[in-house]
Every structure is written in structure tokens, then in C-alpha cells.
């Protein structure tokens, strides 16, 4: 692992049968950074996050996290290391209350009898997401899209993420709500020092909160740089900034 990096992805490849979704991806994330993954639909962004979090086994390359090779490790073991994935499409449990959704996010703490930590984390989550405290007894499925997204992130926070992988957290949200959700991501870093690797279809908004970004195309990294450089890059502007909401 390079000195100072929280995670290094090294020459990672993934195939779905004959389809090569990732083809030798290398990237790194330092502690405390917010890093954006940009790219068109089908570029391989979701596959990358799913592979990091142990849901998909790579065909080549490796992933080092906090100095340990976690390539091919079970997803449950990876989340125990505080590498936490909040997938696309929210996936809150619609027939469970907000508070029960949050308890479920702390599920892997059950063995460690860290019940005190769970209550402390619920308190921390409520401070960061006051709307969830107000609605703690409401069923997840009856919340608005933005509130469900906040619940999905809050559930991830219950696993005490050191590195949070966020897949399209603003998908389907109205622009103002989307802005709130992205601001929350920044608050998470400010409050807890959480490092974030973020897929976001709104390239401008994501680069505004991110420190750096990588552009993925057809399973390969085609560009990387700090957010300002990417925002001003003519290729990025042409490919992704023509049709985004600011
Ligand atoms: P999107 O923004 O649409 O989610 P993405 O950049 O996240 O796109 P992926 O979903 O990772 O891209 O898809 C990368 C490639 O792998 C695409 O060609 C896609 O069709 C293919 N793919 C993704 N999931 C599967 C699967 N379960 N089986 C077969 N092919 C898949």
C-alpha cells in the first residue's frame, strides 16, 4: 500500500461471463478525502464499488484497505472493517420503521456486544439527520425519496464507516433535495472524518463536494485529477457537463 492511502485498487479486472466490465482499474483514496467516480451509464462504476465491498469477485488485480489485502474477502468481513457500501436505489426496508432500519445497519455489531455503541451511533445519526429523529417511528416506505436516501446513508453510518462507498445517492431526487444529500456527505466528513468514494450522475455537483475525481469509460480509467481541473477540462465538459443540473 502506498504510504498515506486508505485504499489502493490495483489493476482490477471484473468480467460478467464474456463481458469485461472492468479492465485493469487502478486508483487510490487517502484518509479524509471525498473522491468522485464519473462516467457514462455502463462504464463500470457500480461494478467497481460492488467489487470493493465484496459483492463481486474480481478476475484479476487486488484491493488493499488499511494495509490489508481484502480482495475476494466476504462482504460481511469487509463491512466489519468499516468499509461500508450504500448501494444504488436506496433499498430501505419499507415495512420497517426508521429506527428499526437503523438498528439493522448496526447488525454486524451484534456479536461484539457493542450495544452501547449502537445507541451512541443512533444519537450521532439523529444529530446529523434530525428529520430521522422526528420520523423515527414512521415506516421507511412512507418517507419521501430524499428522506429514504438520508435513511439509507444513515444506516450506512451505523456501521461506523471509515470508508463509505456511495452509489448514486441523489438518483431520482429533485435538485434542491439532491443538494441537501450531497451537503450531508460533506457534513459526514466534517463530523466523523469519513472518507467517501462517490458515484454521482450530477457531475458538477459531485465535483463541487469532492476533492478529486476519476473518469471511467468502458471499464478503464481515462482521466483523473483534482475537482477544479476536471470541472475545467474540455473533454469532461463536453462529455458530462452539457446536461447536468448545477
Ligand atoms: P450505471 O450508471 O448505468 O449503473 P455503471 O457505470 O455503474 O453504469 P455497471 O453497472 O458497473 O456500470 O456496468 C458495467 C458493464 O457491465 C456494463 O456493460 C453492464 O451492462 C455490465 N453489467 C453490469 N452488471 C451486469 C450483470 N449482472 N450481468 C452482466 N453484465 C452486467
Amino acid at each position: 500500500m502506498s504510504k498515506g492511502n486508505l485504499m489502493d485498487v490495483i489493476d482490477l479486472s471484473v468480467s460478467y461471463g464474456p463481458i469485461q466490465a472492468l479492465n485493469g482499474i487502478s486508483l487510490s483514496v487517502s484518509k479524509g478525502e471525498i473522491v468522485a467516480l464519473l462516467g457514462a451509464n455502463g462504464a463500470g462504476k457500480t461494478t467497481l464499488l460492488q467489487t470493493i465491498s465484496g459483492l463481486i469477485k474480481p478476475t484479476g488485480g487486488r484491493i488493499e484497505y488499511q494495509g490489508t489485502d481484502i480482495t475476494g474477502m466476504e462482504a460481511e468481513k469487509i463491512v466489519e472493517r468499516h468499509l461500508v457500501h450504500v448501494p444504488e436505489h436506496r433499498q430501505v426496508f419499507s415495512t420497517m420503521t426508521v429506527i428499526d432500519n437503523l438498528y439493522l445497519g448496526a447488525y454486524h455489531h451484534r456479536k461484539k456486544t457493542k450495544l452501547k455503541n449502537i445507541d451512541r451511533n443512533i444519537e450521532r445519526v439523529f444529530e446529523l439527520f434530525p428529520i430521522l429523529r422526528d420520523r423515527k417511528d414512521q415506516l421507511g416506505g412512507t418517507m419521501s425519496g430524499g428522506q429514504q436516501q438520508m435513511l439509507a446513508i444513515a444506516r450506512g453510518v451505523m456501521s461506523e464507516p471509515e470508508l463509505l462507498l456511495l452509489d448514486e445517492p441523489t438518483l431520482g431526487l429533485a435538485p434542491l433535495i439532491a443538494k441537501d444529500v450531497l451537503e450531508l456527505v460533506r457534513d459526514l466528513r466534517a463530523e466523523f472524518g469519513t472518507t467517501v468514494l462517490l458515484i454521482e450522475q450530477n457531475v458538477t455537483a459531485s465535483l463541487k463536494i469532492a476533492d478529486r475525481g476519476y473518469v471511467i469509460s468502458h471499464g478503464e480509467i481515462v482521466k483523473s485529477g483534482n475537482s477544479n481541473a476536471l470541472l475545467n477540462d474540455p473533454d469532461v465538459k463536453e462529455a458530462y457537463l452539457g446536461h447536468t443540473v448545477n
Side-chain angles (χ1 to χ4, degrees):
M1 185 170 86
S2 314
K3 214 170 165 219
N5 289 345
L6 182 61
M7 180 178 69
D8 288 290
V9 171
I10 302 146
D11 203 18
L12 196 70
S13 294
V14 173
S15 296
Y16 297 105
I19 299 169
Q20 176 126 29
L22 299 184
N23 186 12
I25 294 262
S26 294
L27 59 80
S28 59
V29 180
S30 301
K31 198 166 163 42
E33 275 193 311
I34 298 178
V35 176
L37 290 175
L38 315 173
N41 285 348
K45 306 176 300 296
T46 295
T47 300
L48 175 58
L49 293 197
Q50 289 177 332
T51 310
I52 294 170
S53 64
L55 298 173
I56 295 177
K57 305 286 176 227
T59 49
R62 63 183 205 279
I63 302 156
E64 292 187 3
Y65 172 69
Q66 290 181 323
T68 303
D69 187 343
I70 60 162
T71 323
M73 206 180 259
E74 294 300 320
E76 196 178 321
K77 297 280 172 220
I78 291 177
V79 80
E80 279 175 11
R81 290 169 181 268
H82 305 282
L83 199 172
V84 179
H85 184 188
V86 177
E88 239 173 338
H89 306 308
R90 316 202 239 284
Q91 300 182 354
V92 307
F93 294 93
S94 56
T95 57
M96 290 171 69
T97 60
V98 166
I99 190 105
D100 285 345
N101 266 278
L102 292 176
Y103 275 118
L104 212 64
Y107 180 69
H108 70 278
H109 284 326
R110 72 200 183 285
K111 289 186 214 147
K112 300 178 182 164
T113 52
K114 283 188 175 167
L115 294 175
K116 252 195 351 228
N117 283 7
I118 295 177
D119 287 337
R120 186 202 62 196
N121 287 341
I122 290 212
E123 228 5 81
R124 280 159 47 141
V125 159
F126 281 162
E127 273 166 34
L128 199 62
F129 307 80
I131 186 77
L132 298 183
R133 188 199 300 274
D134 298 343
R135 297 182 180 239
K136 67 181 172 31
D137 299 318
Q138 191 171 325
L139 295 182
T142 63
M143 314 251 288
S144 71
Q147 290 161 357
Q148 286 191 29
Q149 185 57 61
M150 290 188 193
L151 178 56
I153 298 174
R155 202 175 52 195
V157 173
M158 290 299 295
S159 297
E160 302 176 345
E162 198 59 59
L163 173 58
L164 188 63
L165 310 177
L166 286 179
D167 195 342
E168 305 245 17
T170 71
L171 193 69
L173 301 181
L176 276 180
I177 312 287
K179 196 162 162 266
D180 285 349
V181 169
L182 289 177
E183 274 169 14
L184 260 169
V185 173
R186 217 166 21 191
D187 292 349
L188 263 179
R189 181 199 21 207
E191 288 287 319
F192 307 132
T194 312
T195 307
V196 180
L197 184 58
L198 168 77
I199 300 178
E200 175 53 56
Q201 87 282 7
N202 186 335
V203 172
T204 309
S206 66
L207 287 175
K208 278 187 182 156
I209 68 152
D211 304 297
R212 291 190 297 119
Y214 291 91
V215 181
I216 301 185
S217 175
H218 301 290
E220 296 182 10
I221 292 191
V222 293
K223 209 173 264 284
S224 65
N226 72 41
S227 296
N228 270 339
L230 288 176
L231 273 170
N232 293 311
D233 184 291
D235 295 341
V236 173
K237 273 188 180 166
E238 190 186 326
Y240 307 111
L241 300 185
H243 40 82
T244 54
V245 185
N246 284 295

